[in-house]
Amino acid sequence: QRNAEDASTRLGVVASKKVGNAVCRNRAKRKIREVFRLNRHLLNKTDDIVIVARKTINNASVAEVRDDFITICQRAGLIKKA
């Protein structure tokens, strides 16, 4: 966790060749980055997050990826307390 005033949550996405060819890997990373962008406001301000894409993301909709992302963040304690 970073403590600078201008610190924000950062995302790193990894998609290995096991996910598929370059098109599949890039599509998987785009889905994850879009879900992060739309749900960034829910997260603590200064966390760095690294997500490893799995092959199942190829058949998942953005809504399913969003649900999984939120569930994972809650388990990790990254969601702001209401």
Side-chain angles (χ1 to χ4, degrees), residues 14-21 24-25 29 52-55:
V14 178
S16 73
K17 287 189 177 181
K18 291 180 183 179
V19 173
N21 62 19
C24 293
R25 292 193 307 269
K29 290 189 281 189
V52 179
R54 300 287 183 217
K55 192 170 190 166

Side-chain angles (χ1 to χ4, degrees), residues 7-38:
S8 64
T9 304
R10 298 185 297 184
L11 176 71
V13 182
V14 178
S16 73
K17 287 189 177 181
K18 291 180 183 179
V19 173
N21 62 19
V23 173
C24 293
R25 292 193 307 269
N26 288 328
R27 184 176 295 128
K29 290 189 281 189
R30 283 196 307 269
K31 283 181 186 178
I32 293 169
R33 283 193 297 260
E34 179 66 6
V35 166
F36 174 76
R37 185 184 71 82
L38 293 175

